[in-house]
Amino acid sequence: SQQGEEDPQALSIQEGENATMNCSYKTSINNLQWYRQNSGRGLVHLILIRSNEREKHSGRLRVTLDTSKKSSSLLITASRAADTASYFCATPYNGANNLFFGTGTRLTVIP
Amino acid sequence: DADVTQTPRNRITKTGKRIMLECSQTKGHDRMYWYRQDPGLGLRLIYYSFDVKDINKGEISDGYSVSRQAQAKFSLSLESAIPNQTALYFCATSKEGLDTGELFFGEGSRLTVL
């Protein structure tokens, strides 16, 4: 399947530390997307990285993509308690009619 | 106001009942989707629609039906609810294909089937 898998499943850090989450996928892609979900709420798009890009930044977020290893990482720098959420990677498939979501990394930032 | 609005936000019902979850959007997007989220399984696509006359099944369409009443409205129905349809349901929209664009989600509808 196309499914992305995030690692770790759960991560707990102190406020101010950096958080790194990883995503692996199985087949070739033309982009990979990261989303955030606060508990029981809707998902919010964070960043999209294209297959010809290796790194992308947005504020305190840094995303890398290694197509040779079929993996991506999301780095949140100087974390805040408000960053506590689940983070999902997603890749398009089915002729780009759908996004296949991983099962997510649950991040807890302790104040 | 939210760009993608789902109603109801929470619903408890009994096995065999017909349930409709509604979604409306003000983003002006043609593409709309219904996803289901279960713990440990991520999000799975139920149905999607690219315009009023276009309805497509997703990964897990059995037991569900949809109606695209207008560009801005996309409803999901459970004709005869069963307990394993207990889940968090999300409506989403996109401006373009997902090979180039992203999804915009509603806040979700939590459905419990007893």
Side-chain angles (χ1 to χ4, degrees):
Chain A
S1 76
Q2 182 67 29
Q3 185 175 11
E5 293 290 343
E6 290 90 347
D7 172 61
Q9 289 188 327
L11 179 62
S12 183
I13 59 173
Q14 296 289 329
E15 199 165 34
E17 294 180 338
N18 296 341
T20 299
M21 289 157 268
N22 302 296
C23 170
S24 60
Y25 58 92
K26 295 183 178 179
T27 63
S28 62
I29 58 172
N30 56 15
N31 75 65
L32 186 142
Q33 304 183 27
W34 285 91
Y35 288 80
R36 164 192 167 133
Q37 182 183 30
N38 287 5
S39 181
R41 307 290 297 275
L43 282 76
V44 175
H45 179 260
L46 294 176
I47 199 163
L48 181 155
I49 186 166
R50 304 188 193 287
S51 59
N52 61 354
E53 298 175 308
R54 291 296 168 260
E55 188 170 311
K56 199 165 183 179
H57 297 254
S58 177
R60 293 184 296 112
L61 305 181
R62 171 178 166 250
V63 169
T64 62
L65 180 64
D66 186 335
T67 53
S68 66
K69 295 181 179 178
K70 294 186 170 57
S71 67
S72 174
S73 67
L74 170 66
L75 169 67
I76 304 174
T77 61
S79 64
R80 306 166 181 169
D83 294 328
T84 294
S86 291
Y87 293 82
F88 296 86
C89 66
T91 53
Y93 82 108
N94 188 23
N97 293 329
N98 187 18
L99 284 181
F100 210 118
F101 286 83
T103 53
T105 292
R106 185 163 53 249
L107 173 66
T108 302
V109 181
I110 302 167
Chain B
D1 288 340
D3 294 322
V4 183
T5 303
Q6 294 183 230
T7 56
R9 294 292 314 280
N10 289 283
R11 182 72 183 268
I12 300 173
T13 191
K14 295 182 179 180
T15 297
K17 294 292 187 181
R18 184 178 187 274
I19 296 297
M20 178 180 286
L21 306 180
E22 299 185 340
C23 177
S24 63
Q25 52 115 346
T26 58
K27 299 191 74 67
H29 293 167
D30 287 326
R31 298 169 183 248
M32 298 188 74
Y33 309 78
W34 275 103
Y35 282 88
R36 166 179 172 158
Q37 185 178 35
D38 297 275
L41 293 179
L43 276 76
R44 293 179 291 167
L45 182 65
I46 306 172
Y47 272 95
Y48 62 100
S49 168
F50 289 169
D51 66 36
V52 174
K53 297 181 181 179
D54 178 76
I55 301 289
N56 303 281
K57 293 182 177 181
E59 306 166 63
I60 54 164
S61 59
D62 287 348
Y64 302 94
S65 63
V66 291
S67 173
R68 184 80 183 267
Q69 302 94 325
Q71 188 214 32
K73 296 186 182 295
F74 192 35
S75 300
L76 176 71
S77 293
L78 289 68
E79 296 301 325
S80 180
I82 56 177
N84 75 3
Q85 291 178 312
T86 293
L88 185 55
Y89 291 86
F90 288 104
C91 175
T93 73
S94 68
K95 180 179 180 181
E96 54 197 311
L98 298 174
D99 53 345
T100 54
E102 72 261 34
L103 287 168
F104 297 85
F105 284 86
E107 287 295 296
S109 296
R110 185 172 297 280
L111 176 65
T112 302
V113 183
L114 302 176

